[in-house]
Amino acid sequence: MSSSVESTQPKSQYHHFVPRFILRNFSHPYKPPNSQSGFTKRGRRKPVNGYYVGDPMLHGINLANSTAEITETPVAKTFGQMDMYRDFAHSSNQHHIERQLSQLEARASEIISKIRKAFEAKATNIWVTRTDRDALRKFLFIMKYRGSLFYKRFRHQHIDDYKENDKEKLHRYMREKGFQKPVDVWFDNIKAILELKIATDFKWVDTIRNRIYPDDAEWFINNMQHFYLALCTPNSPDDEFLLTENAYSIYEGRDSYTFDPQTNQITLKCYTETHIFAPISPRLIFVLRNLLLPIPLEDQDEATRNQRQSMMDLTTVQHNHPDEGITMLEDLPITKARNSYSKVENGKLVTLDGKPHIPKCGDKFNFRFFPISSDHIGIINGVMLEESREISTIIFNSPRGARRALEFYLPMSCNGGFKGVTGAPDDPRLVCLKKLEQAAGLLGSSAVAVYKTVTPTRMSEDEILESLGKRLERDMPNVSIPSYAKLGGTPRAMFKDIDQSSKMLNMRIKTDVWSQGLSPEIREEIRERVRDLFCEYAMPRRVLLYLKDVRVMKTVGPEVWKSRDEGKFKGVEMGGAEDVIANASHLFRDAESMCQTMYQATLNKLLLTGDPDYGIRGPLTYDDEGGRRYQQERHLVFSPLGSICDCGIPRLSTLASIYRKTLLTTKPSFLPTNPLLTPSQNTEDCLRFLVRQDFYGAMMGVDFEGVDEGELEMVLFEVVYPAWGGRWKDDEEGMEERGAGLMGRMAVVVAVVLAVEWLAADR
């Protein structure tokens, strides 16, 4: 019986995370030692040391042991692991991920083979269809996402073992989707990306956002849309590209860290990927370059150039030293592929027919093979060597090529954060540098590693702010803003928080200045990115102070704000809608959703106080004024914050979701509809009426901890999530009757739907 069961169990498999068709490009045929021929007397092949003559083998540097070794390993057993993609939770086909990966590999292999053949035939360029390009781009992302780094990130049986900084967010996603283990999320994400159809209508963007773990969905979209592909080859016949274990998962760019002097912990604050590498052979590499970097032909258009510079400035300002730049390869001589639907006219890129181009599957792109210098090759190989501290194997084609790469990297300067070590004898980068130094010696080089000992220190500005905070805490321990204190603010932290919130405001002002001349839609997108950045990464109490700065500046005007004339600030209300949300912070699911709500409350309140007649306050007129009021109402009611179902207060969002499900399931005929709104907007409008009517019932039993319930209701439903035309004074009584009528009818509908679901579940 047991043998029968064992025979039906899927067998273990060796899964490559770098496909064999790429590894073979770096391989050489196996030759036995001189004393052994590898053949029998009858001329048949026989194994020598476990390998046959002609087997594809790889030269490598082994970093797994205490000292470096030069090795020779078979393609069949390099850059892979047993059962790496085996889905033990899948009862019928545990190797389904590996099989789907092999299908994408087969497709990518065909495309890459055409490119390699053109390259080896000394062609200077090659035409690639949009369909093939998109398939290739998906393959390159999968190569990054399927690799050993992400295997280590996700390969856990329990969320408690997950170590990344998105642990809480991932855990919440797992609960929502019913995943038991982090690895289940990884497998599901890979499967979804493999099955995704990249079409020219770009509907795939929303599809993947709704399908996989949100952070990784945005990363995939960014990789596909914000980078362009270029093909590079060494200019010198002596140069070669290395292939490290994690080559497809790393990037060249900029990292910025924060140092906590209390815990001596260094944490990643932000990073920018400017170049991503995909070695294809020793003489060919695919490079993905960030669209933040200049593209001379496109940048002939002033609006395009300004937009690109604005996004670059917005990116660099996040880093510790914005003036230092974000790449060592800015002068890499590459550019975007030309296409079949445009031409250069008077130095500018224009479409052939003079009309905006609609992407088509038949579009073609002309990729040049860019020859690059030994210095550029050295930096690219250097990036791979720099990130080798947590891997075990580096593959190279020839000893001479590997030696040149090590001789460039080991003595190179430590600028740009390269080769920084802590000084501890077990520092991973220092240990790796010593092993690479040993490997260079084994390859006949005397290169010595140059590195820089980095001692994290606090900036003098921080020390000053810390000292001021201690003094305030000592002399005036009770001085604080209640809402600021509710979010964890203390007298000791106040000066530093005020300083940081001021920098946030300066960043917001700069982005507005930089984006002048761009379309309103692009400027609004930039503002939303700044908002998301603040709400996700800044401390909530600093977001609160920042919003107070924004509100006061908008109230008194920029010039008065700059003057800091205290006399002109008299009469300015210090409390606002942001305080109401901050005081209710304990009611929200997490800090980010609370910050987003606080942010929108402040902006909407500014609109309403700045113009008492903002939006629809009475019957609309069919003229420019009516059109303006209509657009104002749309902007106010349907803000980027989205639906009341996602408000971040669990009890309210749950109630809204129940109502929404009921409305969409039953589609009751008694629901009022507004011809000015879309069906989804009409549904959202009704939801806001219904949830407000049941606000106190939904929040029954909740400890408000001193929050004024009426004030919170007012801010939520008149400022953050207002109903359409909710400030139309002449209709207040009618709106109350509408809400009461809807509530009575909806109560019956909800009860029926729940009863039907209960009966279905009982069966």
Side-chain angles (χ1 to χ4, degrees), residues 174-242:
M174 289 171 60
R175 290 196 301 267
E176 290 173 356
K177 300 296 183 180
F179 292 115
Q180 301 299 314
K181 304 182 291 292
V183 71
D184 295 337
V185 178
W186 188 44
F187 286 158
D188 186 67
N189 290 350
I190 292 175
K191 178 179 173 63
I193 295 172
L194 290 172
E195 294 174 350
L196 184 68
K197 304 298 183 184
I198 308 292
T200 56
D201 58 9
F202 293 97
K203 290 182 179 178
W204 63 268
V205 174
D206 288 333
T207 299
I208 202 66
R209 277 183 173 144
N210 296 324
R211 174 64 179 81
I212 70 172
Y213 179 51
D215 286 13
D216 291 353
E218 293 303 324
W219 189 35
F220 172 70
I221 294 167
N222 179 70
N223 186 278
M224 292 287 288
Q225 293 192 310
H226 294 168
F227 289 78
Y228 68 83
L229 175 65
L231 317 179
C232 297
T233 181
N235 196 29
S236 168
D238 296 327
D239 289 322
E240 296 175 353
F241 295 110
L242 300 176

Side-chain angles (χ1 to χ4, degrees), residues 300-312:
Q300 293 298 313
D301 179 76
E302 184 178 1
T304 301
R305 183 173 67 252
N306 290 340
Q307 180 185 358
R308 197 186 313 280
Q309 186 60 50
S310 295
M311 297 309 298
M312 173 65 86

Side-chain angles (χ1 to χ4, degrees), residues 2-17:
S2 61
S3 61
S4 175
V5 172
E6 290 174 2
S7 65
T8 62
Q9 291 292 322
K11 294 181 180 180
S12 290
Q13 296 180 6
Y14 187 85
H15 295 162
H16 283 87
F17 52 82

Side-chain angles (χ1 to χ4, degrees), residues 363-429:
D363 293 338
K364 293 183 179 181
F365 299 88
N366 185 260
F367 289 92
R368 292 170 53 192
F369 295 105
F370 290 99
I372 58 178
S373 68
S374 294
D375 284 349
H376 289 129
I377 301 292
I379 292 173
I380 292 172
N381 283 331
V383 170
M384 289 190 268
L385 293 171
E386 177 76 1
E387 297 300 326
S388 296
R389 62 189 181 279
E390 295 182 359
I391 66 172
S392 59
T393 307
I394 299 171
I395 295 302
F396 58 88
N397 180 60
S398 69
R400 181 181 64 177
R403 185 171 64 248
R404 282 177 64 87
L406 289 167
E407 287 178 339
F408 185 95
Y409 170 70
L410 289 172
M412 74 182 292
S413 72
C414 302
N415 295 334
F418 255 36
K419 297 186 291 184
V421 302
T422 62
D426 60 347
D427 178 89
R429 179 164 282 126

Side-chain angles (χ1 to χ4, degrees), residues 296-301 338 343-350:
L297 191 57
E298 290 186 355
D299 291 346
Q300 293 298 313
D301 179 76
R338 293 291 306 277
K343 62 182 178 179
V344 178
E345 192 173 272
N346 297 325
K348 293 185 177 182
L349 200 61
V350 297

Side-chain angles (χ1 to χ4, degrees), residues 433-664:
L433 285 169
K434 293 299 183 183
K435 289 181 182 180
L436 293 176
E437 198 176 82
Q438 294 166 2
L442 294 173
L443 292 169
S445 173
S446 58
V448 176
V450 173
Y451 52 87
K452 178 172 63 178
T453 301
V454 179
T455 304
T457 57
R458 286 173 293 170
M459 297 174 64
S460 58
E461 181 183 359
D462 287 346
E463 292 176 352
I464 293 171
L465 294 171
E466 182 76 2
S467 175
L468 290 171
K470 289 179 179 178
R471 189 177 303 174
L472 181 64
E473 183 180 47
R474 181 193 66 199
D475 298 337
M476 306 175 70
N478 298 319
V479 173
S480 185
I481 304 169
S483 55
Y484 171 75
K486 179 66 181 283
L487 297 180
T490 64
R492 182 169 182 172
M494 184 175 287
F495 281 98
K496 194 167 186 178
D497 289 343
I498 291 173
D499 174 73
Q500 291 300 309
S501 66
S502 298
K503 289 177 178 177
M504 291 163 66
L505 182 60
N506 288 336
M507 177 180 173
R508 172 67 172 78
I509 293 171
K510 285 181 179 179
T511 56
D512 259 3
V513 173
W514 293 331
S515 62
Q516 286 180 355
L518 302 180
S519 68
E521 293 79 13
I522 292 175
R523 298 192 76 192
E524 188 60 28
E525 180 183 352
I526 292 172
R527 294 185 187 114
E528 289 178 17
R529 290 193 180 192
V530 172
R531 177 204 63 201
D532 292 343
L533 180 72
F534 289 168
C535 291
E536 184 172 359
Y537 294 107
M539 294 179 182
R541 63 179 190 260
R542 292 177 179 173
V543 177
L544 172 71
L545 295 177
Y546 158 78
L547 292 173
K548 287 188 173 297
D549 283 347
V550 169
R551 185 166 53 77
V552 174
M553 184 183 71
K554 292 282 188 179
T555 302
V556 301
E559 295 304 319
V560 174
W561 172 262
K562 289 178 183 178
S563 72
R564 301 293 182 179
D565 186 344
E566 293 184 5
K568 295 180 181 179
F569 283 75
K570 290 181 180 179
V572 176
E573 186 65 40
M574 288 297 106
E578 70 275 8
D579 296 293
V580 177
I581 301 300
N583 287 326
S585 59
H586 62 285
L587 301 178
F588 285 81
R589 179 182 63 243
D590 53 41
E592 183 177 350
S593 61
M594 187 276 297
C595 286
Q596 292 276 9
T597 305
M598 187 165 61
Y599 207 107
Q600 199 63 48
T602 303
L603 298 186
N604 283 5
K605 190 65 175 177
L606 282 169
L607 293 176
L608 296 173
T609 54
D611 180 4
D613 294 324
Y614 189 91
I616 298 177
R617 301 299 299 267
L620 277 177
T621 54
Y622 293 93
D623 54 16
D624 290 344
E625 177 63 11
R628 186 171 69 88
R629 294 296 182 189
Y630 168 77
Q631 292 298 335
Q632 287 178 343
E633 190 74 0
R634 282 179 59 89
H635 181 75
L636 182 74
V637 176
F638 301 113
S639 71
L641 197 59
S643 173
I644 186 71
C645 295
D646 303 316
C647 67
I649 300 178
R651 291 208 179 189
L652 297 183
S653 60
T654 300
L655 176 65
S657 297
I658 292 173
Y659 278 137
R660 179 182 176 82
K661 181 179 180 182
T662 305
L663 293 174
L664 296 178

Side-chain angles (χ1 to χ4, degrees), residues 690-711:
L690 293 168
V691 175
R692 183 172 191 179
Q693 291 289 324
D694 204 21
F695 172 78
Y696 293 98
M699 302 301 288
M700 187 178 296
V702 172
D703 184 1
F704 279 81
E705 297 182 9
V707 176
D708 187 318
E709 300 174 40
E711 203 172 36

